[in-house]
């Protein structure tokens, strides 16, 4: 994405808040401050709705910037294609939940790697994205397996073992990126180091809350909103976020009877998985378009 002075300052503030949040959560974990599982899931769902969903809700405006639509009929076609992809992903969760979970983890690693598109080459940033997904399974395998089983209704031990085997090379690549970036891009190095340490030290849901709401969501929102009419951006983000939350509440009511926290966990993560498919395709298309533009200014390590 293009980065002007205002965006650069906003990114610095966002990064600083991420560092402070990581420190604060680490202190709470060290002091063994624990919240009930149900409370933690509610906090996660609320923050995903308030911080996470708005950046995806701007996708119609991103599509317009990418030249995918220019008039109402084009917008209708874009929305139709977007919903079609989300529906396909949703049906796959119904028919093959374990496969869908594995696919979600794989494409999330790729998508999250985009956080460092401007600073790391593809292989190294993929290590960072994979660290986000795989590293929590090293020290919290039972937690991760329990969450995966809640999402799929099936045993997830094998999948957790696969993540553990991938976590070591992913962490090694991330640590290498930290060392390589230390002198030329110290804030990027610090971000990667804190990310890796948090992935290992924090309970999985706490880490996901820190990462998702502290890095990609606000960062993408800052980048996307740059150059947009503020009134249009706010109205679009608010309206589509409320619509998504409303649909999530409807599905929550319609889900088979289960514990409150399990149903909320399913709605939160399966909802993210379904919406990430069209969102990721759009963002990759737009990022590729920007990278090919003259004077894009992107650099990699």
């Amino acid at each position: 994405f293009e980065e002007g002075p205002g965006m650069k300052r906003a990114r610095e503030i966002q990064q600083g808040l991420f560092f402070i949040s990581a420190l604060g959560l680490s202190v709470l974990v060290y002091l063994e401050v624990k919240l009930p599982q149900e409370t933690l899931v509610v906090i996660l769902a609320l923050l995903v709705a308030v911080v996470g969903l708005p950046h995806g809700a701007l996708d119609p405006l991103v599509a317009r910037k990418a030249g995918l639509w220019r008039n109402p009929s084009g917008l209708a076609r874009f929305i139709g294609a977007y919903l079609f992809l989300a529906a396909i992903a949703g049906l796959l969760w119904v028919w093959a939940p374990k496969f869908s979970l594995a696919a979600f983890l794989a494409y999330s690693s790729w998508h999250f790697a985009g956080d460092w598109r401007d600073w790391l080459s593809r292989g190294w940033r993929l290590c960072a994205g994979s660290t986000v997904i795989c590293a929590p399974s090293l020290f919290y395998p039972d937690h991760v397996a329990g969450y995966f089983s809640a999402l799929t209704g099936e045993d997830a031990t094998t999948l957790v073992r696969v993540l553990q085997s991938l976590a070591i090379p992913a962490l090694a690549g991330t640590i290498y990126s930290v060392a390589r970036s230390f002198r030329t891009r110290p804030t990027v190095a610090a971000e990667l180091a804190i990310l890796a340490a948090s992935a290992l030290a924090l309970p999985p849901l706490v880490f996901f809350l820190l990462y998702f709401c502290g890095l990609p969501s606000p960062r993408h929102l800052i980048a996307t909103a740059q150059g947009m009419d503020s009134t249009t951006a706010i109205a679009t983000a608010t309206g589509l976020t409320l619509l998504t939350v409303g649909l999530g509440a409807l599905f929550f009511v319609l889900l088979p009877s289960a514990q409150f926290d399990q149903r909320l966990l399913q709605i939160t993560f399966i909802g993210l998985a379904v919406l990430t498919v069209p969102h990721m395709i759009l963002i990759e298309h737009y990022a590729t378009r920007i990278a090919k533009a003259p004077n894009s200014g992107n650099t990699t390590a």
Side-chain angles (χ1 to χ4, degrees):
F1 296 107
E2 309 98 323
E3 181 167 311
M7 177 179 164
K8 184 177 181 180
R9 179 56 180 162
R11 188 192 285 267
E12 290 172 350
I13 293 172
Q14 167 264 315
Q15 195 174 55
L17 290 174
F18 170 73
F19 292 162
I20 293 170
S21 299
L23 176 62
L25 288 173
S26 298
V27 169
L28 292 177
V29 170
Y30 177 77
L31 295 176
E32 298 185 349
V33 177
K34 297 181 180 179
L35 293 175
Q37 173 77 6
E38 185 172 298
T39 303
L40 185 58
V41 174
V42 169
I43 293 173
L44 174 66
L46 288 174
L47 286 177
V48 166
V50 173
V51 181
L53 290 181
H55 87 270
L58 289 176
D59 280 356
L61 301 184
V62 175
R64 185 171 64 180
K65 290 174 70 174
L68 295 178
W69 66 271
R70 299 184 184 282
N71 51 47
S73 62
L75 175 60
R77 287 193 296 271
F78 167 76
I79 292 175
Y82 197 98
L83 293 178
F84 175 76
L85 290 171
I88 294 297
L91 289 174
L92 278 175
W93 269 95
V94 174
W95 293 332
K98 203 166 185 178
F99 169 81
S100 297
L101 174 60
F104 174 47
L105 297 174
Y107 62 70
S108 293
S109 296
W110 178 272
H111 184 52
F112 291 158
D115 284 354
W116 300 279
R117 188 187 306 272
D118 293 339
W119 301 286
L120 302 178
S121 58
R122 180 174 295 173
W124 301 120
R125 66 176 183 257
L126 185 58
C127 286
S130 298
T131 294
V132 172
I133 298 299
C134 301
S137 64
L138 287 176
F139 292 161
Y140 294 93
D142 293 339
H143 289 70
V144 175
Y147 298 138
F148 286 175
S149 296
L151 294 177
T152 64
E154 302 177 26
D155 180 72
T157 304
T158 301
L159 181 56
V160 172
R161 287 174 181 167
V162 171
L163 294 183
Q164 288 177 320
S165 66
L166 295 174
I168 301 301
L171 280 166
T174 301
I175 292 170
Y176 174 80
S177 296
V178 170
R180 190 176 180 183
S181 304
F182 185 75
R183 289 188 177 181
T184 57
R185 302 182 185 93
T187 56
V188 174
E191 181 177 286
L192 290 170
I194 291 172
L195 181 79
S198 299
L200 293 171
L202 298 179
L205 282 187
V206 176
F207 169 69
F208 180 80
L209 186 154
L210 169 69
Y211 168 71
F212 187 72
C213 296
L215 279 182
S217 294
R219 181 169 289 173
H220 178 79
L221 187 62
I222 292 167
T224 303
Q226 172 138 319
M228 289 184 179
D229 176 73
S230 59
T231 302
T232 302
I234 292 171
T236 302
T238 302
L240 292 182
T241 296
L242 290 176
L243 177 61
T244 304
V245 170
L247 290 173
L250 176 61
F251 281 116
F252 178 85
V253 173
L254 296 176
L255 277 176
S257 179
Q259 291 184 343
F260 174 84
D261 59 320
Q262 182 176 337
R263 282 192 293 164
L264 192 55
L265 196 72
Q266 290 172 335
I267 287 295
T268 301
F269 280 101
I270 295 177
L272 285 176
V274 167
L275 293 173
T276 296
V277 173
H279 171 72
M280 180 183 68
I281 293 172
L282 172 64
I283 295 305
E284 287 298 321
H285 169 77
Y286 183 54
T288 301
R289 180 175 178 270
I290 291 298
K292 290 179 179 178
N295 303 317
S296 63
N298 288 350
T299 57
T300 56

